[in-house]
Amino acid sequence: MSEEDFARVLLRHTTWDLDPVFKRLRGRPPSLGISFQQFNDFCQLLNSLEDFSVAMTMYTIAGQPVSEEEFGRAAHICLGKPLDPNLVSTVFEIFDKDGDHKLSYREFIAVMKGWKLRGYKMREKKQLGGPLEEFKACVKMEMRDK
């Protein structure tokens, strides 16, 4: 999917103006977009959002925003594998409203907790049978919501 489509999915139920987000994404060097595997990895991170949130909260308490490197390190610890650097960079472009190349608790965790609460929690592969079935279930959910 394109980075803009990824942004639409993540920000679907927010009151954010998407035009500035798309402008930031279009200002980046061309990429191949977000692969299914990258999207799946990101959804797995959201399934571990409570653990990830603890790390982000520590930075917030210390008054420190999170850099891409720190975000990637925290995600790697939560997932047991690294997130693709393009995915991390894309997340930063989407959520970095103030342009400081850092994420704050407000810029990311608050939106993602809302996203997860709305039923976008990915199912375990055991329940669906694999990535193709997960993708089909996601498409069905999207079609049902329209």
Side-chain angles (χ1 to χ4, degrees), residues 8-19:
R8 278 186 192 93
V9 169
L10 296 183
L11 302 175
R12 180 176 180 183
H13 296 288
T14 67
T15 58
W16 285 29
D17 179 7
L18 296 182
D19 289 335

Side-chain angles (χ1 to χ4, degrees), residues 8-59:
R8 278 186 192 93
V9 169
L10 296 183
L11 302 175
R12 180 176 180 183
H13 296 288
T14 67
T15 58
W16 285 29
D17 179 7
L18 296 182
D19 289 335
V21 173
F22 294 156
K23 186 176 181 180
R24 288 192 302 270
L25 291 173
R26 289 179 190 132
R28 293 167 32 113
S31 82
L32 299 174
I34 304 299
S35 69
F36 176 75
Q37 185 60 52
Q38 291 170 334
F39 184 77
N40 186 45
D41 290 346
F42 188 76
C43 288
Q44 287 178 4
L45 178 64
L46 295 182
N47 285 341
S48 304
L49 193 59
E50 297 308 317
D51 295 335
F52 189 75
S53 177
V54 170
M56 295 285 282
T57 302
M58 294 303 190
Y59 283 100

